[in-house]
Amino acid sequence: MEATEPFQMFSDNESTLELGSRLVHSFEAPQTFDAFSVAMAVLHLAVCIVGLGGNSLVIIAILKLDKMASATTVYIFNLALADGLFMVGLPFVAFQNFHNKWIFGDVACKLVMVLDGINQFTSVFCLTVMSVDRYMALVDPVRFARWRTPKWAKIISAFLWLFSLLPVLPIALHFSVHYGLCMADTFVVKWWMTFLAYTFVLGFVLPFLVMIIFYTALVMTLRSSRQQGRSLPSQDSLSLEKQVTKMVVAVVVVFGICWLPFYVFNFCSLYTNNVLLAFARGFEIAVLLSYSWSCANPILYACLSETFGRYFRILLCPRKDSPSMHCNRETEGYDLRDTNGQDVSVLT
């Protein structure tokens, strides 16, 4: 998906940047497959396999072991679904990057780019809503219980999918096959810059700010509760605080690392006329990073969530004597005012 820059011709090697379809192409005659091109093709394949496999595992775990019985796992299910579908378009992008041509037709070009955009925005929106959900679950689950039911989570998730259609509608109108490539119609410069600006705000700035605000408030509330002795015993409370802090840092840092370079390259390209091949390759790496974010989420689940860690072990290493998994369906979190010491899972 995504907004980007009008095609720019590189002065020395006749290379063309295509940011709108999230691609970087190099047109050289004759076409050569150097070490960088081969390495990027392998990395694209690896990201696609890990992304599809990891998110499929999350979806199966939720449907088979959790049954989407909590608000949190409803959001995680939709996040995994969007991330998995996001990977579907990657082989098309990789093929065009590697062969410098689009052979799938104009309809497929529009369809791949639109689906790419919808899944990207839905994934980002789901992760943003999850930051609010985690705040409500761990700070005051009783107070927010009525808003954290699976029913409400499904309604909100459906809205996120529908809302994701709005910012990508221009893609259906302005993306098509030009010069043998699936690219955006970048000749209307005013539209292109507007598209880039609002996708950056909706797809990165606002979600990033919401995550930082709610996760910071969550950590500060946990720390304040521990210091005032209003929650778990000191050692357990400190452990919870450290667990949540690790989750906050991991989610925010991974999101920033994977998406910020892509948008930085987009804006830089708008003000660059003669771009070196190094810039084109740097942009291709930034594009791959943005896709990598979708395969990073299942890894975060496995590392940060004890519940999903157990789910994955049950699916990958099934044993007849494996204990059944049950999470706290009423609150899926920890009430800071409760001193009974209930179990807490950061993500579920």
Side-chain angles (χ1 to χ4, degrees):
M1 137 5 241
E2 298 266 276
T4 46
E5 125 100 344
F7 282 122
Q8 306 239 2
M9 297 305 296
F10 294 106
S11 56
D12 296 329
N13 61 352
E14 297 184 348
S15 299
T16 304
L17 261 188
E18 201 292 291
L19 313 182
S21 60
R22 318 174 90 253
L23 309 172
V24 178
H25 299 286
S26 297
F27 298 118
E28 301 180 5
Q31 181 179 348
T32 59
F33 299 135
D34 57 12
F36 178 82
S37 299
V38 174
M40 290 303 295
V42 172
L43 289 174
H44 276 80
L45 178 62
V47 168
C48 185
I49 293 175
V50 174
L52 284 175
N55 286 290
S56 296
L57 191 62
V58 172
I59 292 172
I60 294 172
I62 292 176
L63 293 178
K64 184 176 181 179
L65 302 175
D66 185 89
K67 312 294 185 182
M68 286 200 292
S70 68
T72 303
T73 50
V74 170
Y75 293 131
I76 293 178
F77 173 84
N78 284 275
L79 175 63
L81 180 61
D83 285 340
L85 292 175
F86 196 39
M87 293 292 98
V88 174
L90 187 55
F92 296 91
V93 173
F95 183 92
Q96 181 168 261
N97 279 346
F98 193 69
H99 292 282
N100 299 322
K101 60 182 177 181
W102 181 269
I103 65 172
F104 308 104
D106 193 68
V107 174
C109 171
K110 292 180 181 292
L111 183 61
V112 169
M113 293 303 113
V114 169
L115 292 178
D116 186 74
I118 293 173
N119 294 319
Q120 177 195 327
F121 274 107
T122 302
S123 177
V124 173
F125 292 160
C126 283
L127 192 71
T128 305
V129 170
M130 284 175 61
S131 68
V132 181
D133 176 77
R134 289 298 79 203
Y135 175 82
M136 294 189 297
L138 292 176
V139 170
D140 199 342
V142 176
R143 176 186 174 188
F144 296 111
R146 59 176 296 189
W147 303 107
R148 301 193 60 254
T149 63
K151 178 181 178 181
W152 269 109
K154 292 174 183 178
I155 293 174
I156 293 173
S157 297
F159 172 79
L160 294 179
W161 281 97
L162 292 175
F163 184 74
S164 297
L165 285 170
L166 298 179
V168 300
L169 284 178
I171 294 178
L173 299 175
H174 294 278
F175 271 77
S176 57
V177 178
H178 298 284
Y179 309 108
L181 297 172
C182 178
M183 63 176 73
D185 178 10
T186 57
F187 300 105
V188 186
V189 178
K190 185 176 181 180
W191 164 82
W192 195 243
M193 295 185 68
T194 302
F195 183 63
L196 174 59
Y198 81 70
T199 52
F200 174 62
V201 172
L202 285 177
F204 184 82
V205 176
L206 290 180
F208 196 63
L209 288 177
V210 170
M211 282 187 279
I212 289 178
I213 290 172
F214 277 92
Y215 282 144
T216 300
L218 173 58
V219 173
M220 292 179 64
T221 302
L222 291 175
R223 181 170 302 177
S224 175
S225 298
R226 176 177 59 84
Q227 292 174 347
Q228 296 176 16
R230 292 189 288 108
S231 58
L232 291 170
S234 178
Q235 191 63 34
D236 293 335
S237 182
L238 180 61
S239 177
L240 172 63
E241 182 184 328
K242 289 181 178 179
Q243 185 184 14
V244 173
T245 302
K246 288 181 181 179
M247 178 271 292
V248 169
V249 173
V251 171
V252 172
V253 169
V254 170
F255 180 75
I257 290 177
C258 289
W259 280 112
L260 185 59
F262 176 74
Y263 287 106
V264 169
F265 270 92
N266 269 291
F267 282 108
C268 288
S269 66
L270 290 173
Y271 303 99
T272 305
N273 292 321
N274 297 318
V275 188
L276 298 176
L277 180 60
F279 182 88
R281 290 182 169 179
F283 202 108
E284 189 169 356
I285 293 173
V287 168
L288 183 61
L289 269 177
S290 66
Y291 277 106
S292 300
W293 181 70
S294 290
C295 68
N297 287 324
I299 299 175
L300 291 178
Y301 302 153
C303 294
L304 299 176
S305 171
E306 294 181 2
T307 301
F308 268 93
R310 291 193 296 268
Y311 284 170
F312 292 164
R313 287 193 294 272
I314 290 174
L315 291 176
L316 297 176
C317 303
R319 295 179 300 177
K320 294 182 179 181
D321 57 346
S322 294
S324 58
M325 298 290 109
H326 298 286
C327 65
N328 185 350
R329 303 303 183 196
E330 295 181 358
T331 63
E332 313 150 53
Y334 168 60
D335 191 343
L336 297 178
R337 299 168 301 179
D338 183 9
T339 59
N340 293 327
Q342 64 191 65
D343 183 33
V344 180
S345 179
V346 173
L347 291 175
T348 60

